[in-house]
Amino acid sequence: MTKYFLVSGLLLCLITSCATVPTVQQSRTNLPEANARVWTEALRSEDRKNSYQVTIRIKDKQISGICLLKKVGDEWRGSLVNEFGAKAFDFIVTSRKCELQNVVSLMDKWYIRKTIASDLYSLFEVDNLKASFRKKKVCCEQDALVVRFGKKRVVTRLPDETLTMQNLVRHISYSLVRMEE
């Protein structure tokens, strides 16, 4: 029974990952080009180190810490550490994927790594037109820029420049607030 479940799950992942068609739709309002981007210059600089206060909520539990992010070549490199300075993981985001490295043993399970890597890829590459998203719908709702990836993920840039990302399937919420240097 377990073997059948694993094999069918892997086949389903393989089939769905091969059917990617990048499309972008804008609706509800005509957004100016500068406002249609989630990552503005005020939120993320390509020239210097970026730091964010991060909160990750999983159902009724919450993890908070600091995310350090820097652009190196064509990729974004970052680390997530808690308030005590213990590193949760490092990550590298390219235009094609996100890879987690040096993951703390509590989180070092394939399904946790896969979910977090996929969510981070969606969050950090949301504005990349060459990213391998299936469907992306951009709209403006109550002064917030909202990007939906099908029925699975939602990225929101609030008027106070707070970024949130929700994984609707796994019930995980990520919140990033830029920290001043």
Side-chain angles (χ1 to χ4, degrees), residues 169-180:
V169 173
R170 303 281 183 224
H171 306 288
I172 302 172
S173 174
Y174 306 82
S175 175
L176 281 81
V177 178
R178 173 93 182 202
M179 295 172 59
E180 294 300 320

Side-chain angles (χ1 to χ4, degrees), residues 156-168:
T156 307
R157 186 187 77 205
L158 300 173
D160 65 354
E161 298 295 317
T162 300
L163 287 179
T164 61
M165 161 128 181
Q166 298 172 329
N167 183 326
L168 302 174

Side-chain angles (χ1 to χ4, degrees), residues 45-153:
S45 172
E46 293 190 6
D47 301 330
R48 57 189 164 90
K49 179 182 74 170
N50 302 282
S51 52
Y52 305 93
Q53 182 178 6
V54 177
T55 305
I56 301 173
R57 290 182 187 85
I58 303 171
K59 296 185 182 178
D60 60 344
K61 296 180 178 37
Q62 178 174 313
I63 302 167
S64 60
I66 298 171
C67 176
L68 302 172
L69 183 69
K70 181 145 176 76
K71 183 143 189 180
V72 179
D74 290 338
E75 56 192 27
W76 289 96
R77 293 179 178 254
S79 293
L80 184 69
V81 297
N82 68 9
E83 283 97 3
F84 297 109
K87 186 186 301 187
F89 55 84
D90 296 322
F91 60 92
I92 300 172
V93 181
T94 65
S95 64
R96 299 186 52 91
K97 67 177 181 172
C98 176
E99 181 182 332
L100 297 183
Q101 299 175 338
N102 306 321
V103 180
V104 68
S105 62
L106 276 168
M107 299 173 65
D108 199 10
K109 295 170 181 48
W110 70 269
Y111 49 90
I112 295 173
R113 291 172 66 107
K114 182 178 177 183
T115 300
I116 292 174
S118 179
D119 289 346
L120 289 177
Y121 176 74
S122 297
L123 178 63
F124 289 114
E125 290 296 313
V126 65
D127 293 328
N128 187 351
L129 296 176
K130 296 177 183 174
S132 60
F133 300 125
R134 290 175 145 219
K135 292 182 179 180
K136 182 171 93 170
K137 184 177 180 183
V138 180
C139 61
C140 193
E141 298 176 359
Q142 300 175 352
D143 296 330
L145 179 67
V146 179
V147 180
R148 299 184 192 283
F149 300 94
K151 296 180 181 178
K152 190 173 182 184
R153 294 185 187 90

Side-chain angles (χ1 to χ4, degrees), residues 15-28:
I15 291 169
T16 58
S17 67
C18 291
T20 59
V21 178
T23 58
V24 177
Q25 299 175 354
Q26 290 191 1
S27 66
R28 296 200 186 162

